[in-house]
Amino acid sequence: QVQVVQSGAEVKKPGASVRVSCKPSAYTFSNYYIHWVRQAPGQRLEWMGIVRPNGGNTEYAQKFQGRVTMTRDTSTSTVHMELSGLRSEDTAVYFCAREEGETYYFDLWGQGTLVTVSS
Amino acid sequence: IVLTQSPGTLSLSPGERATLSCRASQSVNSDYLVWYQQKPGQAPRLLIYGAFTRATGIPDRFSGSGSGTDFTLTISRLEPEDFAVYYCQQYQYGISGYIFGQGTKLEIK
């Protein structure tokens, strides 16, 4: 079954960092870009950035520049998103989602990872 | 660019027609206008891309239309499984990246 599987829920203290992983399954890892989108409680979806498996180049939304790092590990076909300097407003469900080339839409999403930031 | 969806909540009965609106604060490229459906506790599901092209497996009761600043998602005859939150999304080259509307909740009347 074609899917993307994310790592489990995390609870972090303010100021800490969190790393969320996303592993594609049953499709060719290198053929798709991976985006990260988050959804705070009751809020709209918010795009964070993109990582391209071939070459690993990234683009980040201006809001997250300096705080987010997206990487890919080709040996394990896994994509990681690390967000640092966590604050309570970062409490959200974080989704990875794939894009096939420059299509500008996300045709497959991970199940989401809840990150809770609380002291 | 800001995407504004209306109404915020739409209450209808199964079998009725639903019309959901997505308005952009300035003219956008309809090639990059997308609609998703999201049910509670689930990830969004791609419905429509390029403003009017249905994604694989999406029933033909879902249709998209529009251009410029005004886009519409229409569900011709509501099925019980269609009650969910619907988001529009636009790609904007540059630092804005991908922008989402605030969503329309479609609830059973």
Side-chain angles (χ1 to χ4, degrees), chain A residues 48 60-61 64-70 81-84:
Chain A
M48 300 179 68
Y60 303 137
F64 299 101
Q65 285 181 5
R67 275 212 305 150
V68 71
T69 303
M70 298 177 187
M81 186 281 298
E82 181 165 353
L83 186 64
S84 62

Side-chain angles (χ1 to χ4, degrees), chain A residues 39 44 62 104 106 109-110, chain B residues 32 36 38 43 87 89 100:
Chain A
Q39 188 171 36
R44 72 179 69 192
Q62 186 177 37
Y104 306 106
F106 313 137
W109 295 63
Chain B
Y32 304 148
Y36 299 93
Q38 187 179 33
Y87 292 95
Q89 175 225 299
F100 292 88

Side-chain angles (χ1 to χ4, degrees), chain A residues 33 35 37 39 42-47 50 59-63 65 95 99 101-112, chain B residues 2-4 31-32 34 36 38 41-46 48-50 87 89-91 94-103:
Chain A
Y33 304 158
H35 297 257
V37 177
Q39 188 171 36
Q43 301 299 309
R44 72 179 69 192
L45 298 159
E46 182 175 36
W47 180 75
I50 177 178
E59 292 175 33
Y60 303 137
Q62 186 177 37
K63 175 177 179 177
Q65 285 181 5
F95 295 100
E99 175 196 0
E102 271 86 32
T103 53
Y104 306 106
Y105 57 82
F106 313 137
D107 69 339
L108 184 67
W109 295 63
Q111 81 275 19
Chain B
V2 176
L3 297 179
T4 301
D31 288 345
Y32 304 148
V34 183
Y36 299 93
Q38 187 179 33
Q42 297 185 16
R45 173 193 181 198
L46 176 67
I48 301 281
Y49 60 90
Y87 292 95
Q89 175 225 299
Q90 171 69 23
Y91 169 71
I95 59 173
S96 299
Y98 297 77
I99 302 159
F100 292 88
Q102 85 279 20

Side-chain angles (χ1 to χ4, degrees), chain B residues 50-61:
Chain B
F52 57 84
T53 302
R54 277 188 302 277
T56 301
I58 301 303
D60 60 7
R61 64 180 181 273

Side-chain angles (χ1 to χ4, degrees), chain A residues 1-8 19-30 32-36 51 53 71-81 94-98 108-113:
Chain A
Q1 182 182 0
V2 177
Q3 57 184 341
V4 283
V5 180
Q6 298 184 221
S7 52
R19 189 170 88 152
V20 181
S21 300
C22 172
K23 185 173 175 61
S25 175
Y27 71 86
T28 304
F29 175 73
S30 58
Y32 295 85
Y33 304 158
I34 292 291
H35 297 257
W36 290 91
V51 55
T71 57
R72 97 276 188 247
D73 182 341
T74 54
S75 65
T76 60
S77 298
T78 303
V79 175
H80 305 284
M81 186 281 298
Y94 290 76
F95 295 100
C96 63
R98 80 173 192 182
L108 184 67
W109 295 63
Q111 81 275 19
T113 297

